[in-house]
Amino acid sequence: MALASSTVLALALTACGEGDAESESVGTAATEPTDTTVTPTATAASVSASASASTSATATGQATKGAGSQGSGNVGGTGAGATKTSSAGTGSGSAKPLDCTTGSLKFAVKEVKSPINHVLITATNTGSKACSIYSYPALRLSDVQQSVTARIGQSKPQAVVTLDRGATAYAGLITASVDRNSQTKVTTSSIGLSLFGPDEGPTESGADLPVPGGSLYVELDNALVTYWQDNANDALAW
């Protein structure tokens, strides 16, 4: 009797254990599909978000492209309009200025207090139109001078000086060394001046300029002249 009870109890425990194992197995199987189901959902959400972002970016790009094209059109229209107005407003001014000649300029030699041993040469446009004055003045300080006065190369401006009607160009002339020690010193009552053309070749016409006070001490071997400048300060800076 006791043996039969033990056998029944053992069978009951075995059945119960198998039932628990089966339940555990079922529970595990039920859990795994849940995880599998979540993964595609997340992926679908990501794909959906990516597609939405792509659609938004495409729309934004198209909007930007459209705005850019419109902006470009506006700029182009403005540029064309501005160019047309400028051309119409300055038609005569945009033409290449004439070359200055000694006949269209009034020259003068002016004494300056500073720097020492300097004089200022001026050329004022008395013509009716703007003109360009090139390079530097070709000067003859004495009848015994064999070539024109040497120029100061570093004084060359970045652009050719163009003179409107009534405007003045300036050139500084260094007449002597500081100690005035020279074997070629002379005293002159006038300075001969010629102009250079655009190719830096001297022109045929010239002018005689009286010097301040009727007499000017110069040293032919030390004399130097600047390029034409559009202001007196630059002409006397050397």
Side-chain angles (χ1 to χ4, degrees):
M1 184 70 178
L3 180 58
S5 298
S6 299
T7 302
V8 172
L9 180 59
L11 291 174
L13 291 173
T14 300
C16 183
E18 290 176 354
D20 291 341
E22 185 178 355
S23 297
E24 183 178 357
S25 175
V26 171
T28 303
T31 302
E32 289 176 356
T34 301
D35 294 340
T36 304
T37 304
V38 170
T39 302
T41 301
T43 302
S46 300
V47 171
S48 177
S50 176
S52 177
S54 175
T55 303
S56 176
T58 302
T60 303
Q62 291 175 347
T64 303
K65 182 178 179 181
S69 299
Q70 183 178 1
S72 175
N74 290 338
V75 171
T78 302
T83 302
K84 184 176 180 180
T85 302
S86 176
S87 176
T90 59
S92 58
S94 61
K96 183 180 178 181
L98 302 173
D99 296 341
C100 293
T101 64
T102 53
S104 65
L105 299 173
K106 180 180 180 180
F107 300 98
V109 179
K110 298 182 179 181
E111 188 176 13
V112 295
K113 294 181 179 180
S114 179
I116 62 171
N117 299 329
H118 281 65
V119 293
L120 186 65
I121 299 173
T122 62
T124 302
N125 183 9
T126 58
S128 59
K129 296 182 179 180
C131 68
S132 295
I133 188 166
Y134 299 96
S135 201
Y136 59 97
L139 302 180
R140 293 277 183 178
L141 304 179
S142 170
D143 293 337
V144 298
Q145 186 176 348
Q146 296 181 357
S147 60
V148 297
T149 301
R151 72 188 184 278
I152 302 174
Q154 292 178 330
S155 67
K156 186 176 183 178
Q158 293 183 350
V160 173
V161 175
T162 298
L163 302 177
D164 290 330
R165 183 178 181 183
T168 300
Y170 306 84
L173 171 63
I174 300 175
T175 57
S177 60
V178 175
D179 58 6
R180 292 199 171 195
N181 184 15
S182 171
Q183 299 299 320
T184 59
K185 55 187 177 182
V186 297
T187 301
T188 184
S189 59
S190 64
I191 295 176
L193 183 150
S194 296
L195 296 176
F196 283 104
D199 58 353
E200 295 200 357
T203 59
E204 295 180 358
S205 58
D208 255 353
L209 314 181
V211 299
S215 180
L216 181 66
Y217 172 85
V218 295
E219 297 173 356
L220 300 180
D221 57 345
N222 292 322
L224 295 169
V225 66
T226 69
Y227 279 79
W228 290 111
Q229 311 291 330
D230 60 7
N231 65 88
N233 289 335
D234 287 347
L236 296 174
W238 305 91

